[in-house]
């Protein structure tokens, strides 16, 4: 409840009970106007302006970014003084910029020189230096490698010892040399044979007669036939694969899939297809039964043991007799055995020969070094003879680089691997809210059109 | 207690390590490891027993020998590779903070891989290096055409260009080019350097086409090139010094001018212009090549056939080396100049091209001394009479035949004969050659074609232009030919005589055993091989006799007698006997073979028989085909 009547005897009570809200609001508003610098009394025409600049700016995104980079960064916005209120202290003693500190006379002189086109000495020198440094940079990039010695000269037997006069003398024995070299960090290392071995018996460069720019008819037909046969083989394989996979991946209707799935899920439940399955087994008694009944250790009696022993003895005797008889028989069979031995020896020899042949052939084939098998490059052939026969009209077919790469793989110098490229990650770009307003939205189409404009 | 035996602690199971293990041991990244292996020539191995080496596992892993990895461990290159890794990191940092100066400084300080010792290590002798030059040259020629790429710096392509031009200059100076083959892929060249055959490919000139990354790993190839540049540099150094040439050679045309970095045309033409310049020698003295042994001296000793063959080959080589000597070629605008300039120059010819289009022309088109103009267009408006207008294939084919071929088959606008590969057919001793190819290769036929007037003129010019060496060579060649013919004649006469003798013998001693006959044959064979000795002796004897009693008239009569040509005598060849003789000869030859070589000998014989059979079959087939065609044609003509 509000009091109807209040005493206004004291100053404090006046302060307490008068309503000055509207006055304060007005003043606050006035201060705000002062700070922002707006003037309410302006007309609409003065306050607002017709936007005549085109919405789609003709600058590229890159240029825009550059312009934006010139502006002070967002983080300093809070520090900036936006108030339009003038500094109450007129002559505040603030730090002056170097430009402001300059003497006006000097300033005028510099300006005059600038107008006349005179560049000061220091600036000239700096420009010169910059150009020189740049040219030096280019030169240092193209390093001229020099080859100024004979690597295979007779006198250079031990290149490590060349520079070391003390060790190279005749008074130091070999062991001592080895010891010192080891401690100097220039140990003599035995080069493994693999560096000098030929990796394959294949030649590095094998020109094919049929690939001549103006080939003999026969050679050309040969190479075309070989290409066709490889292609046919490939097609045959792929077809075979297709047919065999067709059986595995059959086409099934959706309803069938559903039915099968349902059947699978229902597997093992007593209710199949909505009917109750009859139970095969009848309810048994409570008696415990195992599949393997326990074995009793039943002892044999003496008679059985004796008989067993006798049987064993008899068998042993029989075996001996048999062997003796065989020996006699074998004497008669000697000729046949000789033949047999000869036969087996022959077979072994043949096997050896084939093995050697295989080994010899293996020298011309790529070895199995990795999981991936070597695949030879397809031969690139001009498919019509009319395109051939003119040096001027030859078209590039295949590339020598690929040819070299494959040849090196074939000769076991390189592994038949393909470089695995890193997977490209999908990057989603999101703009921060604070940055959203500043960047004018330019559609992709517009960007393209802008680019074209700039290039023109 | 006895130590317990554990599996895979010794032997095959303990000799190898997987690539991952090797990486861990060397503390290198995969890329660095690959690079190191390529540089040092270490390759993975295929074990005899995969399961044992992989300690029971059967899937195929990349295996290295432990000793190989230990060998890599000892090289200083590993440390530079690690330094590089660190420097890369530092450069990246400088880049990230935007300090360009720091970045520049660090790039300048980037560690360099020193590969000199590696080259020496991998190729202990100079010949080893030359044997492995095929791959090196092809890659360098290929990379010299590349623009600057991400994994191939501009400096590397520049270096490749320099080295290849240097190498070509060596080939030109030493005249060691032997074969050329133009294929769709590129130009195949073969040179004989220090007795080794070196083959390489130069790509056709096309603009660069980027490669798909799935096909070729560019970085790996760049690593190879990195090694090969160093190797080629040192090989070039030694080759140049062997010819007493200054290394590095100096050309008055710069190979890497700033203009060439902008314009591709000048870039290419500079390279070609550099080929057309003679290079400086260290001193004017020429290193004399070891002279050939005198044929006449050697032929008196046994084994003359072989040596004669060798000598013939030598003569042919000499002729091939000076094939284009004294000829002047002008290359038209549309013809690929680089290979042609290289070929013509390396056989002693002079070349020039259109002065207005490209740099480095030495003479103009209207020079009257030009003998050949190489043209690759159907017709030309302005033609000179003094020169032949030929298509470029003439140059390639005549180099391969080691002879100047008749130009009429290669004239302007004429459909060319097929360009055959000189590299094929080298494996078989006897091979079927189709009649068309025979016609191409037969020197006699070429001479028949050669009779046109221009040809003769040209030959004269050649002779005039040639130095004394050439004429000497030719004389030698002629001498050898005459000598051969004489021998043939003598042999025929001898055989006739022997036949007659045999007949007489048979008449006199009809009931003699055939063993004696064999003996006679054998003696005859021996006589045959020593024919040269005997007949010289005989000649000497006759001359001595004449000297004793000579009057003028007698002399004249003798001279006349000498001039007189004896009529050839016909004699019947006994087919059966000859066959028998040849068989006996073969048996004897087989007996002469050492027992340890016997298997090989029979193998060779078998192979030869097989080849001859095949050739005969093919020839018969061809004959039949030709006849069929003839019949068909006749039928057509009658209809």
């Amino acid at each position: 409840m509000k009091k109807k009547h209040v005493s206004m005897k004291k100053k404090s009570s006046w302060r307490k009970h008068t309503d000055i809200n509207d006055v304060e609001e007005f003043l606050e508003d006035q201060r705000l106007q002062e700070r922002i610098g707006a003037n309410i009394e302006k007309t609409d025409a003065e306050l607002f302006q017709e936007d005549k600049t085109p919405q789609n700016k003709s600058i590229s995104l890159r240029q825009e970014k550059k312009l934006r980079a010139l502006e002070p960064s967002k983080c300093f916005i809070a520090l900036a003084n936006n108030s339009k209120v003038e500094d109450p202290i007129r002559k505040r003693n603030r730090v002056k910029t170097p430009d402001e500190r300059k003497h006006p006379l000097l300033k005028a002189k510099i300006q005059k020189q600038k107008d006349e086109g005179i560049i000061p000495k220091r600036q000239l020198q700096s420009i010169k230096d910059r150009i020189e440094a740049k040219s030096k940079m280019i030169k240092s990039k193209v390093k001229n490698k020099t080859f100024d010695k004979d690597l295979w000269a007779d006198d250079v037997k031990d290149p490590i010892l060349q520079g070391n006069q003390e060790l190279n003398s005749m008074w130091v024995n070999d062991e001592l040399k080895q010891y010192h070299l080891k401690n100097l960090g220039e140990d003599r290392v035995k080069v493994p044979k693999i560096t000098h071995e030929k990796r394959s018996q294949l030649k590095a460069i094998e020109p094919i007669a049929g690939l001549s720019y103006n080939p003999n008819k026969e050679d050309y037909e040969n190479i075309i036939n070989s290409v066709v046969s490889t292609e046919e083989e490939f097609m045959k394989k792929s077809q075979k694969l297709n047919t065999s996979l067709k059986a595995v991946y059959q086409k099934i209707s959706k309803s069938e899939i559903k039915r099968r799935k349902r059947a699978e899920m229902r597997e093992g439940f007593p209710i199949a297809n909505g009917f109750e399955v009859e139970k095969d087994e009848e309810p048994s008694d409570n008696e415990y039964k195992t599949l393997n009944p326990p074995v009793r250790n039943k002892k044999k009696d003496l008679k059985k043991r004796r008989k067993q022993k006798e049987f064993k003895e008899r068998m042993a005797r029989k075996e001996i007799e048999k062997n003796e008889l065989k020996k006699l028989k074998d004497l008669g069979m000697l000729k046949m055995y000789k033949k047999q031995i000869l036969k087996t020896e022959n077979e072994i020899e043949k096997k050896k020969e084939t093995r050697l042949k295989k080994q010899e052939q293996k020298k011309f084939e790529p070895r199995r070094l990795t999981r991936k098998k070597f695949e030879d490059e397809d031969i690139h052939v001009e498919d019509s003879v009319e395109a051939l026969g003119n040096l001027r009209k030859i078209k590039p077919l295949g590339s020598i680089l690929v040819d070299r790469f494959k040849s090196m793989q074939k000769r076991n110098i390189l592994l038949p691997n393909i470089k695995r490229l890193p997977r490209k990650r999908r990057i989603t770009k999101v703009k921060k809210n604070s940055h959203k307003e500043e960047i004018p939205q330019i559609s992709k189409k517009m960007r393209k059109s802008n680019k074209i404009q700039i290039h023109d | 207690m006895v130590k317990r035996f554990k599996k895979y602690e010794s032997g095959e199971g303990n000799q190898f390590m997987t690539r991952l293990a090797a990486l861990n041991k060397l503390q290198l990244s995969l890329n660095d490891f690959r690079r190191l292996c390529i540089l040092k020539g270490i390759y993975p191995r295929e074990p005899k027993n995969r399961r044992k080496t992989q300690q029971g596992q059967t899937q195929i892993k990349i295996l290295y020998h432990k000793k190989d990895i230990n060998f890599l461990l000892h090289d200083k290159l590993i440390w530079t590779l690690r330094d590089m890794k660190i420097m890369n990191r530092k450069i990246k940092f400088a880049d990230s903070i935007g300090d360009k100066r720091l970045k520049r400084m660090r790039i300048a300080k980037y560690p360099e891989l020193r590969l000199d010792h590696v080259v020496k290590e991998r190729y202990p002798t100079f010949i080893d290096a030359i044997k492995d030059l095929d791959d090196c040259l092809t890659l360098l020629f290929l990379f010299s055409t590349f623009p600057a790429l991400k994994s191939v710096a501009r400096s590397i392509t520049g270096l490749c260009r320099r080295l290849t031009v240097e190498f070509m200059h060596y080939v030109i100076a030493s005249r060691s080019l032997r074969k050329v083959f133009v294929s769709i892929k590129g130009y195949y060249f073969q040179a004989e350097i220090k007795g080794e055959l070196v083959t390489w490919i130069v790509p056709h000139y096309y603009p660069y086409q980027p490669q798909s990354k799935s096909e070729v790993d560019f970085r790996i190839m760049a690593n190879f090139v990195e090694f090969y540049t160093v190797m080629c540099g040192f090989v070039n150094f030694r080759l140049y010094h062997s010819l007493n040439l200054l290394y590095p050679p100096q050309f008055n045309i710069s190979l890497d001018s700033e203009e060439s970095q902008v314009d591709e045309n000048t870039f290419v033409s500079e390279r070609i212009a550099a080929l057309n310049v003679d290079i400086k020698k260290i001193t004017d003295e020429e290193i004399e090549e070891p002279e050939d042994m005198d044929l006449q001296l050697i032929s008196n000793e046994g084994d003359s056939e072989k040596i004669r063959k060798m000598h013939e080959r030598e003569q042919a080589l000499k002729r091939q080396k000076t094939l284009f000597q004294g000829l002047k070629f002008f290359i038209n605008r549309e013809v690929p100049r680089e290979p042609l300039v290289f070929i013509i120059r390396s056989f002693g010819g002079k070349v020039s091209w259109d002065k207005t289009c490209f740099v480095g022309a030495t003479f103009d088109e209207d020079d009257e001394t030009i003998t050949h103009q190489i043209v690759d267009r159907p017709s030309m408006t302005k033609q000179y009479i003094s020169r032949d207008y030929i298509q470029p294939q003439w140059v390639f084919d005549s180099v391969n035949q080691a002879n100047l071929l008749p130009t009429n088959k290669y004239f302007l606008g004429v459909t060319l004969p097929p360009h055959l590969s000189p590299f094929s057919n080298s494996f078989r001793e006897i091979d079927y050659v189709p009649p068309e190819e025979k016609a191409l290769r037969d020197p006699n036929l070429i001479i028949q074609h050669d009779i046109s007037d221009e040809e003769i003129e040209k030959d004269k010019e050649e002779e005039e232009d040639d130095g004394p060496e050439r004429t000497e060579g030719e004389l030698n060649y002629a001498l050898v030919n005459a000598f051969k013919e004489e021998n043939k004649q003598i042999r025929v006469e001898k055989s006739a005589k022997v036949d007659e003798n045999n007949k007489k013998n048979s008449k006199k001693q009809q009931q003699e055993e055939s063993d004696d006959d064999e003996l006679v044959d054998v003696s005859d064979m021996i006589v045959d091989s020593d024919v040269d000795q005997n007949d010289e002796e005989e000649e000497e004897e006759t001359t001595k006799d004449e000297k004793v009693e000579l009057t003028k008239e007698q002399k004249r009569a003798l001279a006349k007698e000498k001039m007189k040509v004896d009529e050839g005598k016909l004699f019947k060849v006994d087919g059966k006997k000859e066959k028998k003789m040849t068989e006996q000869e073969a048996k004897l030859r087989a007996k002469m073979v050492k027992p340890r070589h016997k298997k090989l000998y029979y193998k060779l014989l078998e192979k030869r028989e097989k080849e001859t059979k095949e050739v005969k079959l093919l020839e018969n087939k061809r004959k039949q085909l030709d006849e069929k065609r003839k019949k068909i044609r006749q039928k057509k003509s009658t209809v």
Side-chain angles (χ1 to χ4, degrees), chain B residues 171 175-182 188-191 316-317 319-325 327 329 339-349 374 390-406 410 419-423 440-441 446:
Chain B
V171 173
R175 300 270 171 99
S176 47
L177 193 66
R178 294 286 172 272
K179 287 174 183 172
V180 193
F181 175 55
V182 188
Y188 287 79
F189 290 106
Q190 191 172 62
L317 235 177
R319 261 182 306 137
Q320 198 194 7
K321 277 181 181 176
T322 53
L323 189 65
F324 296 144
Q325 190 108 52
L327 300 186
F329 291 84
L340 280 169
V341 170
F342 174 54
I343 293 165
I344 291 166
R345 289 254 306 144
S346 54
F347 290 102
I374 301 172
I390 47 169
Q391 298 189 45
Q393 199 188 313
W394 180 83
V395 177
F396 308 130
D397 281 354
S398 18
V399 164
N400 290 337
Q401 305 292 333
N403 244 324
L404 291 176
L405 293 178
Y410 300 90
H419 176 59
L420 302 169
S421 165
F423 294 98
L440 257 180
R441 290 198 177 161
I446 289 165

Side-chain angles (χ1 to χ4, degrees), chain B residues 54-92:
Chain B
Q54 287 177 173
Q55 315 196 333
Q57 290 171 320
T58 47
Q59 79 263 44
I60 295 171
K61 288 176 176 178
I62 304 168
L63 294 174
Y64 288 88
H65 205 283
K66 269 188 178 171
K67 282 184 180 174
D68 294 349
I69 299 301
N70 275 337
F71 170 65
L72 291 181
L73 194 63
H74 280 283
D75 204 295
K76 278 182 180 176
L77 289 180
I78 274 194
W79 288 103
T80 35
L81 284 175
R82 287 176 189 151
D83 289 345
M84 276 176 174
K85 188 181 78 181
I86 301 301
M87 196 52 97
N88 281 339
R89 210 180 279 161
K90 283 179 174 174
I91 290 167
K92 215 175 188 180

Side-chain angles (χ1 to χ4, degrees), chain A residues 137 152 211-212 214 392, chain B residues 104 123 135 184 238 376 419:
Chain A
M137 270 280 290
W152 295 280
L211 289 183
S212 164
N214 184 13
R392 201 155 39 98
Chain B
R104 224 179 297 142
Y123 308 109
D135 267 327
I184 304 174
R238 180 139 175 151
D376 200 5
H419 176 59

Side-chain angles (χ1 to χ4, degrees), chain B residues 553-590:
Chain B
E553 282 173 21
Q554 274 176 333
K555 256 188 187 174
R556 221 179 240 179
L558 262 175
K560 262 191 182 177
E561 256 179 46
K562 261 191 183 174
M563 298 276 282
K564 203 171 79 181
V565 180
D566 287 330
E567 218 174 285
K569 281 169 193 168
L570 275 173
F571 63 92
K572 217 175 187 181
V573 180
D574 194 356
K576 268 185 187 174
K577 211 165 202 180
E578 211 158 69
K579 205 178 174 187
K580 206 178 172 187
M581 255 172 59
T582 48
E583 271 175 19
Q584 282 164 356
E585 270 176 35
K587 271 180 193 169
L588 199 81
R589 238 177 279 139

Side-chain angles (χ1 to χ4, degrees), chain A residues 68-80 435:
Chain A
R68 227 183 301 136
L70 290 176
E71 290 165 10
S73 50
K74 289 268 167 190
C75 54
F76 299 127
I77 281 178
L79 294 178
H435 287 250

Side-chain angles (χ1 to χ4, degrees), chain B residues 88 166 207 217 227 229 233 240 327 339-340 346 398 437 442 457 472 482 488 538 564 582 614 618:
Chain B
N88 281 339
E166 280 168 10
D217 196 340
F227 174 72
T229 47
Y240 268 63
L327 300 186
L340 280 169
S346 54
S398 18
E437 200 181 330
D442 193 6
E457 274 178 22
E472 263 180 28
K488 261 186 200 168
E538 277 173 47
K564 203 171 79 181
T582 48
E614 278 171 6
L618 281 169

